[in-house]
Every structure is written in C-alpha cells, then in structure tokens.
Amino acid sequence: QVQLVESGGGLVQAGGSLRLSCAASGNIFSINTMGWYHQAPGKQRELVARITRGGSTNYADSVKGRFTISRDNAKNTVYLQMNSLKPEDTAVYYCNADEVVHLSATYYNLWGQGTQVTVSS
C-alpha cells in the first residue's frame, strides 16, 4: 500500500511564499513522475508542475518563474516552493505520483488528500 501525505499549506499574504511537501510512504523502490496539481472552487484540477525521476520538469505557464518543483528520490518526497504568491493561486493543492514501483505491485496515478493554499490580497 502506498500513501501520499502532503504538508505545508496555509494562509499567506500576496507576495509571500509557501513550501509544500509530499512524502510517499510504503515499501517503494522507485517513483517515475511526481507532481502538483491545484483545484480552485468550481474549476477543474489543473497541473501546476511535475518532475521526473531524472529531474526533468515542466510548469504551468501561470507559475513559471515563481514556483519551483524539486524532489528527493531517496526520501520519495516532492516539494513545491511557491514564491510571489497571488490571490489567484488560492486552491487546494494535490500531490500526484505516477508509476510507483512498490514491493507488492506497481501503482499508477496516485493522489494525496490535498492541502489548502489561501493567498489574501
């Protein structure tokens, strides 16, 4: 069994910073892609950023230059450093892990429970 546990959300003023973390637990050998998505009220869940095991990244246009995704493969953990936050960044942020090679099976497209990020103007 694999679980993704997120932390680091909260309330911040516009222009401020937050750092999100997501750790995958369980007997994991490797994880291919890890990423962050967000979902604002009444909107679809959208990609924010993702990173492969080898370190290749891609970002939504709206966060380029402000957010940085990174990961620690030894800890099966992905981070999202969010700087220069804007009110429109307000959303629930979800961690995603794809192709998780576990002791018992390989899991695809796993999601965390979500963490709220609120940016006040």
Side-chain angles (χ1 to χ4, degrees):
Q1 191 76 12
V2 177
Q3 285 189 323
L4 303 180
V5 179
E6 298 134 335
S7 61
L11 173 64
V12 65
Q13 287 189 331
S17 299
L18 283 174
R19 188 186 193 220
L20 306 183
S21 299
C22 171
S25 64
N27 294 310
I28 296 170
F29 293 131
S30 66
I31 302 175
N32 186 2
T33 302
M34 301 186 80
W36 291 94
Y37 291 70
H38 68 194
Q39 187 168 19
K43 295 188 177 181
Q44 290 188 330
R45 191 173 298 186
E46 298 177 332
L47 173 70
V48 176
R50 59 187 170 202
I51 183 168
T52 67
R53 181 171 177 79
S56 297
T57 59
N58 64 295
Y59 295 89
D61 288 342
S62 61
V63 307
K64 285 180 180 177
R66 300 189 298 124
F67 292 9
T68 302
I69 190 170
S70 61
R71 64 188 283 177
D72 184 332
N73 291 331
K75 296 181 179 179
N76 295 316
T77 300
V78 63
Y79 307 95
L80 185 68
Q81 178 66 44
M82 304 186 292
N83 298 330
S84 302
L85 281 159
K86 304 175 180 180
E88 50 264 44
D89 295 319
T90 296
V92 178
Y93 283 70
Y94 295 92
C95 175
N96 177 270
D98 193 38
E99 196 173 346
V100 180
V101 181
H102 183 266
L103 179 66
S104 62
T106 297
Y107 297 89
Y108 298 90
N109 202 28
L110 299 178
W111 293 95
Q113 80 284 359
T115 185
Q116 177 69 45
V117 171
T118 302
V119 184
S120 63
S121 57

